[in-house]
């Protein structure tokens, strides 16, 4: 058998030769394609190079992580900072005393050079506050990332001037929840942030106005699941309260009313109809409103929907 027949009849994953359809445009010779380039065997004309490798990435048993952590908005440097170890090296071996002292000096200098300006230091402190408040309120990672991005936007727009960093961080968490339709009482945010309610309210109003947040007005029915869960009411009462809230929203009698207060009134009214013992004080305490507010909205429900 001739040698030319041997090479054209076997499979080679690196070299592919086709002299019928992929002929050289200059001399019509045979074209050879490998993992680097496509070249004519007769005249040496390079037709293409740097072909894309479509093969899979090799997998190693002792190596499960190929790259570093992804970029994140939750850190001022987006997660590109360097972490210097303390006791052991990358292979787990214990470092000598001399090497530990050297790493300590490097770690001190790296800590001093983390921030190039006071603005970066404030950004780092604010993002840390956002993560702390989100952790206290049990906010998921997606909303936490959005809250960090809102704080970054407020920082870049100069909205921190004259305002507390903690208040803007709390307002960012509250705004991220509002934009995604999650009910989060303002009182809980204020308690987690350890700042005054007026500061958080003013900061949220500034974010809403300057950044144009797509926050829709909260409806009373959105607060019912949390209230019913905290009060441990039966399912029948929950369904009746949701029906009352939806009817009130359709008739637009909830306009200008406090959503959690109106939701508490719907829950209290449903409990009264189902002969379930539930006091106005207990409902008002869970909703974070006064008992008079629940009583007033209860009267509105009785007059408008009956």
């Amino acid at each position: 058998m001739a040698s030319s027949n041997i090479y054209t009849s076997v499979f080679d994953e690196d070299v592919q030769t086709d002299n019928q359809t992929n002929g050289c445009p200059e001399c019509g010779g045979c074209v050879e394609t490998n993992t680097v380039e496509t070249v004519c065997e007769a005249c040496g004309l390079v037709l293409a190079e740097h072909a894309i490798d479509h093969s899979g990435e090799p997998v190693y048993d002792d190596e499960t992580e190929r790259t570093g952590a992804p970029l994140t908005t939750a850190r001022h440097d987006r997660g590109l900072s360097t972490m210097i170890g303390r006791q052991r090296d990358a292979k787990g071996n214990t470092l000598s005393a001399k090497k530990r002292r050297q790493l300590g000096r490097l770690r001190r200098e790296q800590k001093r050079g983390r921030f190039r300006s006071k603005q970066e230091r404030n950004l780092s402190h604010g993002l840390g506050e956002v993560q702390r408040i989100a952790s206290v309120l049990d906010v998921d990672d997606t909303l936490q990332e959005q809250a960090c991005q809102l704080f970054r936007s407020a920082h870049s727009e100069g909205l921190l001037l004259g305002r507390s960093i903690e208040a803007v961080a709390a307002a960012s968490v509250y705004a991220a929840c509002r934009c995604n339709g999650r009910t989060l009482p303002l009182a809980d945010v204020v308690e987690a942030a350890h700042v005054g309610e007026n500061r958080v309210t003013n900061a949220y109003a500034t974010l809403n106005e300057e950044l144009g947040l797509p926050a829709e007005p909260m409806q009373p029915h959105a607060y019912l699941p949390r209230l019913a869960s905290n009060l441990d009411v039966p399912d029948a009462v929950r369904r009746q309260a949701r029906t009352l809230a939806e009817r009130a929203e359709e008739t637009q009698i909830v306009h200008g009313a406090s959503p959690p207060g109106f939701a508490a009134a719907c829950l209290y009214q449903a409990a009264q109809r189902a002969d379930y013992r539930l006091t106005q004080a207990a409902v008002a305490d869970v909703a974070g409103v006064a008992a008079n507010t629940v009583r007033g909205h209860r009267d509105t429900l009785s007059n408008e929907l009956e």
Side-chain angles (χ1 to χ4, degrees):
M1 181 182 295
S3 60
S4 60
N5 295 332
I6 296 177
Y7 289 112
T8 57
S9 61
V10 298
F11 173 74
D12 191 340
E13 63 181 5
D14 289 335
V15 178
Q16 300 176 3
T17 304
D18 190 350
N19 54 6
Q20 296 179 356
T21 59
N22 296 331
C24 178
E26 293 292 335
C27 64
C30 184
V31 175
E32 178 186 88
T33 302
N34 54 32
T35 58
V36 179
E37 60 186 5
T38 301
V39 62
C40 177
E41 294 180 342
C43 65
L45 176 65
V46 178
L47 302 178
E49 59 182 350
H50 303 299
I52 299 176
D53 184 10
H54 296 280
S55 61
E57 182 182 8
V59 179
Y60 305 95
D61 295 336
D62 58 345
E63 186 175 0
T64 59
E65 187 173 340
R66 302 287 295 174
T67 59
L71 295 179
T72 174
T73 59
R75 302 184 62 177
H76 78 283
D77 53 5
R78 298 190 179 273
L80 296 177
S81 60
T82 302
M83 302 296 294
I84 301 178
R86 294 179 179 272
Q87 302 294 333
R88 299 180 181 275
D89 59 8
K91 297 183 179 180
N93 300 324
T94 304
L95 299 176
S96 62
K98 180 179 179 181
K99 179 62 68 174
R100 288 199 300 269
R101 289 193 297 268
Q102 181 183 2
L103 291 180
R105 293 190 295 269
L106 291 175
R107 192 164 47 248
R108 182 177 63 249
E109 296 300 325
Q110 192 265 349
K111 184 177 180 180
R112 291 176 178 175
R114 285 181 60 193
F115 310 111
R116 293 176 296 180
S117 62
K118 187 177 180 180
Q119 286 74 17
E120 283 194 4
R121 187 180 299 275
N122 292 338
L123 179 61
S124 176
H125 175 62
L127 293 177
E129 281 295 308
V130 170
Q131 297 179 68
R132 184 188 65 81
I133 296 172
S135 177
V136 172
L137 299 175
D138 196 18
V139 176
D140 56 70
D141 295 339
T142 302
L143 295 182
Q144 181 176 331
E145 289 286 336
Q146 294 184 14
C148 291
Q149 186 59 47
L150 283 177
F151 187 88
R152 281 182 173 274
S153 300
H155 180 268
S156 61
E157 295 293 333
L159 302 181
L160 298 182
L161 298 178
R163 296 180 178 86
S164 171
I165 295 179
E166 292 78 7
V168 178
S172 300
V173 176
Y174 181 70
C177 294
R178 284 288 303 271
C179 292
N180 288 272
R182 174 176 174 178
T183 58
L184 187 63
L186 183 61
D188 294 350
V189 180
V190 171
E191 182 179 358
H194 304 297
V195 293
E197 182 175 353
N198 292 334
R199 292 188 176 184
V200 179
T201 303
N202 294 335
Y204 172 73
T206 302
L207 293 179
N208 194 16
E209 180 180 356
E210 297 294 335
L211 301 182
L213 302 179
E216 297 292 336
M218 298 300 297
Q219 299 297 333
H221 76 270
Y223 290 87
L224 286 175
R226 184 181 63 87
L227 298 179
S229 177
N230 292 339
L231 294 171
D232 196 19
V233 299
D235 293 339
V237 177
R238 300 187 184 194
R239 291 192 294 268
Q240 181 66 23
R242 185 175 180 86
T243 301
L244 288 175
E246 291 176 350
R247 290 179 57 191
E249 293 167 6
E250 292 176 358
T251 56
Q252 298 182 356
I253 63 176
V254 298
H255 288 182
S258 170
F262 209 96
C266 293
L267 193 62
Y268 175 76
Q269 185 75 354
Q272 292 295 310
R273 293 182 179 182
D275 294 331
Y276 180 79
R277 182 175 178 79
L278 188 64
T279 63
Q280 294 181 5
V283 180
D285 182 64
V286 173
V289 296
N292 293 334
T293 302
V294 178
R295 191 178 305 113
H297 292 324
R298 189 275 314 269
D299 296 339
T300 302
L301 287 172
S302 301
N303 296 333
E304 296 294 337
L305 300 183
E306 294 182 357

